[in-house]
Amino acid sequence: MREHEPAPGHAERRLSTKEAAELLGVKPETVYAYVSRGRLSSRRAPGGRGSTLDAKEVEALARRNRRESAGSPGSGGELSVRTRLTFIDGHRYYFRGVDATELAARHSYEEVAEWLWTGRMRPGTTFTAPASSVEAARRAVDALPEHSGPIDRLRVAAVAAAIADPLRFDLTEEAVLGTARILIPTLVAALPPQRADHRDEGSLAQRLWGRLSGHPAGKVQLRVLDAALALLVDHDLAASTLAVRVAASARAHAYAAVSAGLGVIEGPLHGAASGLAHRLLEEVLDLGDAAPVIAQELRAGRRIPGLGHRLYPGEDPRARALFALLEEIPEAAPALAAARDIVATTARRAPLHANVDLALAVLTASFGMEPSAGETIFAVARTAGWIAHALEEYGERPLRMRPSGHYVGPKPPQRLPDRAT
């Protein structure tokens, strides 16, 4: 049997070059280029007039081209995943169809998390963790080097909590929600307190405050932190959330899915962006003027942290909500003024608006928190959203988050490399 010849009894559907071009939506010249680059194989037609191509091969290439076109910059299309959780529309965003900023204004972080998970409101709900989970997480975190950052601690705490849970492989909705209600307070409890007299009681925001700041917090301060957590619960398919859905698609358990999110969130273009905004804000506070600080950033070729968001043409609604709450706190006035100076100074060059990272920086800088505190708030808050997305993904076909690679390396077959001498 000659190479590429179909087996007897198995008719192979062949296409002419013109037919293949029409199916691919390209010119015949492009089909020839695909053949020369090895993306398609051709065979001389009977009688030697022209070439034919395998219809299945052409159809597979057409599917790949459509996927690549949908995800290419400037094509107007992106990776799309069905979700019932968060909808972003212009200047607002919604959790299960309800305005997210209004939810955060009227409900606690725990209540908003429950709404995102189940579509039901559970007034007065609080998250508590069993002593076994907290003890396992604290032991693991205490063994880390002193220079470890908060996300290092959260990642290790998540792994330790998973190992302490023999039922972690149960992916039913009830079991995953039980995991979520334990894991989030475990992550908070694993962080070292900032005051010796700190007590783990009250809302999650109250417990977290004592691990971020040595300053005492009144109701207004706790309300701002609680609102920040609620506002940050979810934000559609951010990079860390996509990582969580990929893990859940492979049927990783909830702890492992959250660990995937924590691995991505540490990037300076994601969760760590608030720390950069915090440092910028402190420089402006020290100098009393944003202009020289912004000038130095631009001279170094760096983007200004805390400004602009690809999903919002104007001010980030999360920043707007947090700024409004911070205006009620006298201690936040200097940092708020510095943030406004940063926005106004940068506006002379580009019409960028404040995003949530700048608002978090105002919160963390106003109460003596470390620059990394905003990243901690972000990660703890977003854990609830990651769980919600994992739950959605568990209901989808397994391993569907599997894009095809577009090979651009040397055309095979290549000669075996020489043995090293």
Side-chain angles (χ1 to χ4, degrees):
M1 185 184 298
R2 291 192 301 273
E3 189 179 7
H4 303 308
E5 186 173 319
H10 293 272
E12 182 183 36
R13 189 161 65 94
R14 308 291 298 180
L15 300 176
S16 68
T17 300
K18 181 181 178 181
E19 290 170 331
E22 290 175 352
L23 181 59
L24 291 164
V26 298
K27 296 178 180 179
E29 292 83 356
T30 305
V31 176
Y32 297 139
Y34 284 149
V35 172
S36 67
R37 292 199 298 264
R39 300 191 72 184
L40 291 173
S41 58
S42 67
R43 190 167 69 225
R44 299 296 295 175
R49 300 183 60 183
S51 300
T52 62
L53 303 100
D54 184 341
K56 290 182 179 180
E57 200 174 82
V58 174
E59 289 165 356
L61 178 59
R63 287 193 296 271
R64 287 199 300 273
N65 285 352
R66 284 194 293 271
R67 285 197 298 267
E68 291 165 10
S69 175
S72 63
S75 68
E78 296 178 348
L79 176 65
S80 179
V81 176
R82 295 182 307 169
T83 178
R84 297 181 177 87
L85 302 176
T86 300
F87 175 60
I88 299 174
D89 182 26
H91 302 276
R92 306 170 76 179
Y93 71 118
Y94 305 82
F95 293 154
R96 291 188 178 271
V98 179
D99 188 289
T101 58
E102 293 181 10
L103 274 172
R106 292 169 172 79
H107 296 279
S108 70
Y109 165 70
E110 292 95 319
E111 290 169 346
V112 173
E114 289 285 349
W115 171 256
L116 196 68
W117 293 335
T118 67
R120 298 185 297 274
M121 188 58 66
R122 296 178 60 188
T125 186
T126 57
F127 298 156
T128 56
S132 57
S133 178
V134 173
E135 184 181 355
R138 283 179 175 168
R139 279 203 310 267
V141 168
D142 288 345
L144 291 174
E146 190 174 339
H147 65 265
S148 301
I151 302 301
D152 296 324
R153 297 186 179 103
L154 293 176
R155 281 202 301 261
V156 169
V159 171
I163 295 170
D165 181 4
L167 304 180
R168 61 187 178 276
F169 299 103
D170 186 345
L171 302 186
T172 61
E173 180 177 349
E174 184 179 2
V176 173
L177 289 177
T179 294
R181 295 173 184 130
I182 289 174
L183 176 58
I184 295 173
T186 297
L187 295 179
V188 172
L191 297 170
Q194 297 298 305
R195 294 170 55 131
D197 59 349
H198 173 74
R199 299 178 64 183
D200 277 323
E201 57 187 17
S203 68
L204 191 87
Q206 187 171 348
R207 283 171 272 162
L208 180 59
W209 183 280
R211 288 172 158 75
L212 298 176
S213 174
H215 294 228
K219 288 184 178 180
V220 180
Q221 287 85 353
L222 289 177
R223 179 65 195 121
V224 175
L225 178 56
D226 190 55
L229 291 166
L231 290 164
L232 291 166
V233 162
D234 190 44
H235 206 235
D236 195 36
L237 231 66
S240 57
T241 305
L242 179 59
V244 168
R245 293 198 75 128
V246 170
S249 177
R251 296 304 182 259
H253 55 71
Y255 297 94
V258 167
S259 295
L262 288 169
V264 174
I265 206 172
E266 197 171 18
L269 300 182
H270 196 10
S274 63
L276 301 177
H278 179 113
R279 292 183 177 90
L280 180 78
L281 195 64
E282 287 194 327
E283 286 187 52
V284 175
L285 286 167
D286 289 342
L287 291 177
D289 185 2
V293 179
I294 298 299
Q296 183 61 34
E297 293 294 304
L298 295 175
R299 183 178 183 180
R302 293 189 290 264
R303 64 186 295 273
I304 309 303
L307 299 179
H309 197 291
R310 62 186 295 266
L311 298 180
Y312 299 113
E315 188 174 45
D316 186 332
R318 301 168 297 178
R320 186 166 57 248
L322 282 178
F323 284 147
L325 290 171
L326 287 162
E327 285 172 357
E328 301 175 13
I329 304 175
E331 300 98 309
L336 272 171
R340 294 190 183 103
D341 193 9
I342 290 170
V343 174
T345 300
T346 309
R348 303 173 196 168
R349 170 180 169 268
L352 295 175
H353 301 271
N355 62 34
V356 73
D357 297 315
L358 187 59
L360 281 176
V362 172
L363 169 60
T364 56
S366 296
F367 297 101
M369 299 180 189
E370 294 293 323
S372 59
E375 186 178 7
T376 305
I377 296 168
F378 199 111
V380 169
R382 192 56 58 86
T383 299
W386 292 336
I387 293 289
H389 280 273
L391 274 171
E392 279 199 332
E393 197 58 43
Y394 291 147
E396 299 284 355
R397 175 175 55 83
L399 291 175
R400 71 189 185 107
M401 308 289 282
R402 175 63 169 87
S404 297
H406 177 194
Y407 178 73
V408 294
K411 181 181 176 180
Q414 295 285 314
R415 184 173 61 85
L416 282 171
D418 294 332
R419 179 179 297 178
T421 57

